[in-house]
Every structure is written in structure tokens, then in C-alpha cells.
Amino acid sequence: MDFWPEFLANSWGKEFVAGGCGGIAGIISGYPLDTLRILQQNSKSGSAFNILRNVISKEGPTALYRGMAAPLASITLQNAMVFQSYAILSRALDPSVSTKDPPSYKGVALGGFGAGALQSLVLSPVELIKIRLQLQTKTQKGPREVAKSIMKAEGLRGLYRGLGITILRDAPAHGLYFWTYEYMREQLHPDCRKTGEESVQTMLVAGGLAGVASWICCYPLDVVKTRLQAQSAYPPPKYTGIVDCFRKSVREDGLAVLWRGLGTAVLRAFLVNGAVFAAYEIALRCLLSNGRIPIENAMPEQ
């Protein structure tokens, strides 16, 4: 391969398309498991099988895709911002590395940290709406109606409920996310960070492991975030903030509540992030080579 995508990705249009492709692939592949995770985190029973059986028997399998329109609508912007900002920050935060070489692992971790913090500004209201939609039982509203009702009752501040903990979750998680991906792809296919010649199989496995690592490190914060965003201001909310939610959740349900739904999240993370990185890398290679993907990288050898 005569190019390395991250070095040559200087067009916002190409990053926009490639990031969108990766994000959409991730949403479609993992959304049912994400719905199951949210239901587990907000329920008294942590049994994934019982919750899944109950939802399907009462509402049908399509209920597992409830609220998908909100993240799909924003996924192109969100992923374009994450991957573009990561590419810039991973270089800017460790300028000692030559542009002819891949970013250092230090730059990768710091770039991911910064990209995660930035993307929280877009992701927080989207996840708030998605969580409210996923937890609906009787009244079925669309994302627009949910957003309007939140704005009417709580204003813009209500739409950004949970922003602080979203940043606390996503900044370190994205640092570990990108570091794990770069490290694992190099371990699976030595020197591929310079040549860009890894197979799709390597992209899938490295991306999947990156997703698992990032979710394990931030999962307790995600549980707290879900509980904070699931409540509305009226009637008076059960939790007044991050620390209060953490203390009350542990007091009522024990420390195990902070890991409720982890199995579902880890399975989803492997599937989703493998799809995200594979779709992103393939799309970017295709765009940067005028629509042609090098044959040796199109599919893993059989």
C-alpha cells in the first residue's frame, strides 16, 4: 500500500463520510444489545435473558430498535468529529514524532482523551433522548416529541442533563479506546501502523478489543449516567447529582449494581467497535484511493 490513511486524511469531507460509515455500521450491528443494556441498568432485575424475553413477548423484537433514529441522525457528525479531532490531536499533543511515522502511543492516548471530551457535547443530548425512548413502556413518542417535551419542561439545561458524567466517562474511555486499537492492530499485524496493510480480520478484532477495554474501564460511570438521564425534573428527581446517584444506587442495590449489564455491554462493544473500525478504515482507504481498495486488504486470507 502506497498510503497510510491517517497521514493523508486532510479532507474534512472524506473524514466525514468515513466516520459516518463507521458509526452507522456500529449502530445497526449493536443497537438491540444497547437497548438491553439500558433496560438492565435501570431495572431491579439484572437478568438479561428475562428482560429480553419480557420485551419481545410484550412488544415484539422491533422494540429493541426503539429510539434508534436519534443516534442515527447524529452519528455522521459525531463520528466525523471524533475521528477527525483524534487524528489532529494525536499529532498536536506529541509533535516530537515525524509525520512520516505513525503517532506515538502517548499521542494516541492523549488524542483519544481530547476527542472523547469534545464528542460528549454532541453525544450527551442524543443519549438522553435515546435513553428516554428506550425506557418507554406505554406512550410511544418519537425522538422529536421527546426532545420537545424535555425542552418545554426543563429547558436547554434539561437536554444536557448528564453532560458532566458523560465527559467523565468518555474522555478516559476514548483515550484507552484508541490506544488499545493501535496497540492491538500492531500486535496482530506487526508494522501495519506504518504500512496500513492489515486485513479486515485484524481491524475487526483490534476494534472489538478496543471497545471492550474502553467499556470495562468506564462502566460504573455509565450506569450512573443512565440513571441520571432516565429521570426527569418533574416530579422531583430521585438523584441530585453524580455522587448522590452513586451513593443511593450502591446503598439500595449493592456494589454489584455498578456492573449490572456489563456482560451485555461487553458483547455489544466487541461487535460494534469491530464494525466501526472496519467500516471506517475501509471507507477511508476507498476514498483516498479514488474508490479502489487494495486487493490484499479487501478481505482476510482464507
Side-chain angles (χ1 to χ4, degrees), residues 35-265:
T35 297
L36 186 58
R37 172 182 64 86
I38 293 298
L39 292 171
Q40 282 184 274
Q41 290 178 343
N42 203 55
S43 71
K44 292 293 183 182
S45 170
S47 171
F49 178 76
N50 289 338
I51 292 173
L52 179 63
R53 183 176 59 182
N54 185 53
V55 170
I56 292 178
S57 64
K58 289 184 177 180
E59 305 175 63
T62 57
L64 296 172
Y65 286 92
R66 183 185 301 141
M68 192 172 73
L72 266 180
S74 64
I75 208 67
T76 300
L77 174 61
Q78 176 194 331
N79 276 268
M81 183 172 68
V82 167
F83 282 99
Q84 182 69 62
S85 58
Y86 161 72
I88 294 172
L89 292 173
S90 62
R91 290 287 178 187
L93 295 175
D94 190 6
S96 62
V97 179
S98 169
T99 56
K100 295 180 179 180
D101 296 319
S104 67
Y105 287 123
K106 172 187 174 182
V108 165
L110 292 174
F113 188 97
L118 289 173
Q119 71 111 32
S120 299
L121 299 174
V122 175
L123 186 63
S124 184
V126 172
E127 285 206 342
L128 174 68
I129 295 169
K130 176 178 70 69
I131 287 170
R132 298 284 178 90
L133 287 167
Q134 288 173 320
L135 294 176
Q136 283 185 147
T137 53
K138 297 180 181 180
T139 58
Q140 301 299 316
K141 296 180 179 179
R144 183 178 298 179
E145 288 76 15
V146 170
K148 285 183 177 180
S149 65
I150 293 172
M151 285 290 292
K152 183 178 180 180
E154 307 173 55
L156 186 62
R157 183 177 180 179
L159 201 59
Y160 274 89
R161 178 186 298 274
L163 174 61
I165 196 166
T166 302
I167 295 174
L168 288 175
R169 180 196 69 172
D170 285 359
H174 274 70
L176 181 60
Y177 178 64
F178 282 105
W179 183 92
T180 302
Y181 175 71
E182 295 295 334
Y183 178 79
M184 288 309 305
R185 68 194 285 232
E186 187 69 14
Q187 297 303 306
L188 294 169
H189 193 131
D191 211 36
C192 73
R193 295 188 72 225
K194 288 186 177 180
T195 65
E197 292 180 351
E198 73 268 37
S199 65
V200 174
Q201 183 179 5
T202 295
M203 298 174 192
L204 290 169
V205 175
L209 292 175
V212 170
S214 65
W215 268 104
I216 289 176
C217 88
C218 75
Y219 198 76
L221 288 173
D222 186 67
V223 173
V224 174
K225 185 186 79 68
T226 294
R227 292 187 165 212
L228 284 173
Q229 291 188 317
Q231 64 182 5
S232 61
Y234 305 101
K238 179 178 180 180
Y239 310 115
T240 58
I242 297 172
V243 175
D244 184 58
C245 181
F246 179 88
R247 291 170 60 184
K248 287 181 179 177
S249 295
V250 172
R251 186 171 63 243
E252 293 174 4
D253 300 313
L255 280 172
V257 70
L258 299 176
W259 302 100
R260 182 177 294 165
L262 178 62
T264 303

